[in-house]
Each structure stands twice: as C-alpha cells, then as structure tokens.
Amino acid sequence: MLLKNIHIVDNQRDLLGDVRIKDELITEVGANLSTENEEIIDFSGKNYYLLPAFTDLHVHFRDPGLTHKEDVNTGSHAAIHGGYTAVNLMPNTKPTCSSMEIVKDVERRVEEIGLIYANQTLSMTKNLEGKDIEHLKALKKGEILFVTDDGKGVQDDHLMEEIFNICKEKDITIMCHAEDSRYSATDMRIAENNMTFRDIKLCEKTNGSIHFCHVSTKEAIDAIAAAQARGVRVSCEVTPHHLSATGDEVNHYRVNPPFREKEDIDALVKAIQDGVVCAIATDHAPHTAEDKRNGSPGMVGLEVAFPLCYTKLVKGGFISLQKLVQLMSTNPSEMMKLNKGEIKPGKLADLVVADLDNPFIINAEEFQSKGRNTPFNGRKVFGKIVHTISMGKVY
C-alpha cells in the first residue's frame, strides 16, 4: 500500500509526502515516492494529517465478568474508532486479574479479534484487597510489564514498601492510583495528595520506580516534578478529561479522581510543557446508564481523547502537534515496549489519518463502545479521526 500526498507528523518529522507499507510494516517515507504494483490511496486536496496511531496506558475493557459495560470486542472497536491500536488494560474485572492465567486469556482473546494489541496488567494485591502479594513473589523477572490496584490505593505503608522492593527485583513498573481511603469520603484532594507524597517517599527510600495514573491536582503534579528533579524514578500520566474541564463546567460529573479547578488544569498543562508528564492516557471507563445514575465514577475516553487533547492543547496554543504525538503515541508505545509510535521504516504500520481543520460535534450515539457515559457529548472539537490503520489494514 502507498499513502500519497498527506501531511506526515510524528515526534521527529513534519512533511508533506508519501508512506509505503508492506507486510504490516512501514518500509519507506519520503516525497514523491515512485509507485509499484500496490494499492494507492491518494490524499491530494484533502489536507489530512498522518500520525502514528495512539497507545493508551490506562483502559478498562471490563472483561472478564463485567461485559454488560464493555468487552474485548466492543473495546477493540472503540479503540480503532478513536485512533488507538494498543491499550494497557486494568485488572479490576470479575474475577480480578490476579493470576497470569487470566492475564494470558484476556490478551489471547484480544489478539483473536485482530484489531489492536492489548497488554493486560496484573493486580498488585490479590483481588485488590490490599493484603496478599504472594502472586507477585511468584512472578519471573520480565513476565509482566505493569502491576496496579487501579481504582484503589494500597493503604498499608509496609506492604507498599514490600511491593516496591519486589517490583524493583523483577523489573516491573508499578502503576499507582493515588487515593488515601481515609479521606475519600470527605476530601478527594487530600486523598490524592497524601498517597502521592507517600509513594514518592517510598519510591525514593527503595530506589524503586513508579508511574502515577491520572494525576489531577496541582499539589500532586508539583510533588512529582520535584521528585523527578531529585532523580527519583517517577513518571506520570494525565487524562484528556482532567485537561478539558473544571468540575463546575461539567456539573461535577463523577470521575475518580474528580474534575478539578482551573489552577489544577493550568498546573497539568505546565507539567506537560515542562516534560514532567510522559503520557496522556484516557482511563476509559465504560458504565451503563443505570450504573452512572447509581454513582459509578468514570467516563469513556478512547473515542474522544484525541479531539479533546488536540482542541485544548494544540489549537489552544500550549504545545505542538509533534508534542501531542509524543504524549499519545511515542512515549506510551515505548513504555509498553512496542515497535510503533513513529513514522519511519521498520516500525509497525499503525497510523491515524486525521482531519484537523474542520470542527465537529461529539456524538455519543456514534461510539463503538458499549458505554455512552461522557460529559462531553455535544461539545464542538477539532481533530476528527478519519481512518485508523492497524498492522497495515485500513479501518
């Protein structure tokens, strides 16, 4: 396949040109490439942009056990619809992903669907109960990339320190949902900040490493920046929704951590500009309408992430399109050890064709996800995904 006359942007290049794809790989990038006996897609006159397809470090497919909300099939289609070809799945399923058998089963079923790549995380504690870590001790070095109790923080300080030591020994990245449950019912700002401060200290003490999920407060992001400056091995992600609205602007739509204030958004944006934030991740969390009415926190993110981020960050003048590609594709792909995230020969032909010029209205009824739970339905944005190319196939 030859993609011709399209604006090619990744973390390193920005040019009008052509991309040749063969056997699921990018084989050639340049201007005015000669045609061979191949399918040609010519984008002349459309002013579309070709970007590396996105990789999401933080996704809930609800499979196994909660498939009335989402499953690996609908989740895969939602990912493709939003420009994602790789996802990192959270373990809070039923049963909980606390064993390698469940991990391998989920990954196998996503692979059989054949649309995207999925990495399944393992829970830090057995069944997310914050007590038993024997399954971590049994892991072989390099057997798993990430462990997390996403949705909960590990409350026991000594247990968390032991988790740091185990993960350091086995070369596993800890993904932390920072929430001190003593304050969850009364002050979610203190809840996030307290656990962020504690885990930074434990990381420093053990010389371990940690990745903070969905950072949302000024205090937490400032603490992470200070820790990085001291040489602590700490990274973090932010979500599109925490960048795109205050709590007041979305009538305090329930997500966890909650929508914050303008000063928090400003601090997250500055942290992106300063290189403190390594990735934008969606925390894609599908729920039924009934679950939302009953107070379940979370929103779908895969199909609105790029338009929200492009509109806020690039159209808003805060960062370049190349920087956004780095946050949504290059860096998370590297963290997941994937051969993608850049448009150059030898990389997987996982690409996105986007219309950046024309505004459109987010319509939840067009989502491929089972979830329709978003406070951004009806919002005008830029950055519509026209096609997703996964392993050389156009969708």
Side-chain angles (χ1 to χ4, degrees):
M1 183 189 301
L2 183 65
L3 311 178
K4 288 192 66 66
N5 301 309
I6 192 164
H7 199 144
I8 303 163
V9 177
D10 68 3
N11 62 319
Q12 294 183 330
R13 73 181 75 218
D14 186 339
L15 64 100
L16 183 65
D18 309 336
V19 174
R20 177 167 281 121
I21 297 167
K22 186 176 181 181
D23 297 330
E24 301 184 358
L25 295 176
I26 297 167
T27 59
E28 199 172 359
V29 180
N32 301 311
L33 296 183
S34 59
T35 59
E36 300 174 359
N37 184 23
E38 59 198 343
E39 179 186 356
I40 297 170
I41 304 178
D42 194 335
F43 293 96
S44 297
K46 293 187 181 296
N47 200 30
Y48 286 166
Y49 283 70
L50 187 71
L51 315 172
F54 314 128
T55 294
D56 197 336
L57 289 175
H58 196 131
V59 173
H60 301 265
F61 274 3
R62 310 298 191 195
D63 194 340
L66 299 167
T67 53
H68 60 289
K69 299 176 185 248
E70 191 80 286
D71 57 49
V72 292
N73 183 52
T74 57
S76 294
H77 281 87
I80 287 289
H81 193 224
Y84 285 89
T85 58
V87 296
N88 191 42
L89 299 174
M90 297 297 104
N92 57 338
T93 52
K94 288 188 177 181
T96 305
C97 285
S98 295
S99 72
M100 289 305 299
E101 289 76 17
I102 299 174
V103 166
K104 290 174 182 176
D105 174 66
V106 173
E107 291 178 348
R108 176 188 58 77
R109 289 188 290 113
V110 175
E111 185 178 6
E112 286 175 352
I113 292 164
L115 291 175
I116 64 170
Y117 170 81
N119 178 76
Q120 175 63 60
T121 61
L122 187 72
S123 68
M124 274 195 291
T125 67
K126 187 78 171 177
N127 298 324
L128 308 178
E129 292 173 351
K131 298 174 183 177
D132 184 352
I133 57 172
E134 290 303 310
H135 63 300
L136 296 189
K137 296 176 183 178
L139 290 172
K140 300 181 183 72
K141 187 172 182 177
E143 191 173 9
I144 197 90
L145 285 177
F146 305 103
V147 294
T148 180
D149 272 15
D150 184 61
K152 300 179 179 181
V154 173
Q155 306 302 312
D156 186 305
D157 298 346
H158 296 294
L159 186 67
M160 190 64 189
E161 184 173 346
E162 190 174 358
I163 291 170
F164 268 106
N165 285 321
I166 292 170
C167 289
K168 179 184 175 183
E169 174 193 339
K170 297 179 185 290
D171 195 24
I172 299 167
T173 298
I174 294 170
M175 297 185 71
C176 174
H177 174 106
E179 183 179 343
D180 184 338
S181 63
R182 294 174 299 176
Y183 294 92
S184 297
T186 56
D187 194 323
M188 284 295 285
R189 179 176 293 272
I190 293 177
E192 179 174 346
N193 293 343
N194 268 12
M195 189 156 283
T196 302
F197 304 155
R198 184 206 69 174
D199 282 351
I200 288 172
K201 289 298 183 185
L202 288 177
C203 187
E204 205 161 9
K205 179 181 178 181
T206 60
N207 195 28
S209 62
I210 192 168
H211 176 81
F212 284 98
C213 300
H214 45 53
V215 180
S216 70
T217 72
K218 179 182 187 301
E219 298 84 6
I221 202 70
D222 287 349
I224 291 166
Q228 289 177 350
R230 296 196 304 273
V232 184
R233 291 187 297 165
V234 53
S235 62
C236 68
E237 69 194 39
V238 297
T239 72
H241 54 274
H242 286 123
L243 294 168
S244 297
T246 66
D248 287 338
E249 289 169 336
V250 291
N251 297 316
H252 298 279
Y253 190 94
R254 189 159 187 242
V255 291
N256 187 17
F259 284 93
R260 301 295 189 181
E261 307 298 328
K262 184 180 183 302
E263 67 174 10
D264 298 301
I265 297 175
D266 292 344
L268 298 182
V269 171
K270 184 176 187 302
I272 287 173
Q273 294 170 324
D274 293 345
V276 174
V277 175
C278 72
I280 293 174
T282 68
D283 195 6
H284 176 80
H287 289 295
T288 65
E290 181 181 2
D291 288 333
K292 286 303 293 181
R293 285 193 297 270
N294 292 333
S296 294
M299 58 165 281
V300 288
L302 286 166
E303 295 169 88
V304 297
F306 180 73
L308 287 175
C309 292
Y310 178 76
T311 303
K312 167 68 181 183
L313 297 172
V314 180
K315 292 286 284 186
F318 296 106
I319 63 172
S320 67
L321 179 58
Q322 285 183 303
K323 177 69 171 179
L324 184 58
V325 166
Q326 189 178 19
L327 292 162
M328 295 188 71
S329 186
T330 315
N331 290 349
S333 296
E334 184 177 333
M335 287 183 69
M336 285 177 61
K337 301 182 179 179
L338 301 174
N339 182 33
K340 54 171 289 183
E342 295 176 287
I343 304 178
K344 67 180 186 181
K347 292 290 184 182
L348 272 175
D350 279 18
L351 304 164
V352 163
V353 177
D355 178 358
L356 304 184
D357 292 336
N358 298 305
F360 71 101
I361 303 298
I362 293 173
N363 180 0
E365 294 307 310
E366 296 176 352
F367 291 172
Q368 298 295 304
S369 170
K370 288 183 182 180
R372 299 290 184 267
N373 49 309
T374 174
F376 298 112
N377 193 39
R379 177 177 280 207
K380 185 171 97 170
V381 289
F382 291 81
K384 189 173 184 65
I385 304 301
V386 179
H387 295 293
T388 300
I389 301 171
S390 180
M391 294 173 281
K393 295 181 181 178
V394 182
Y395 298 96

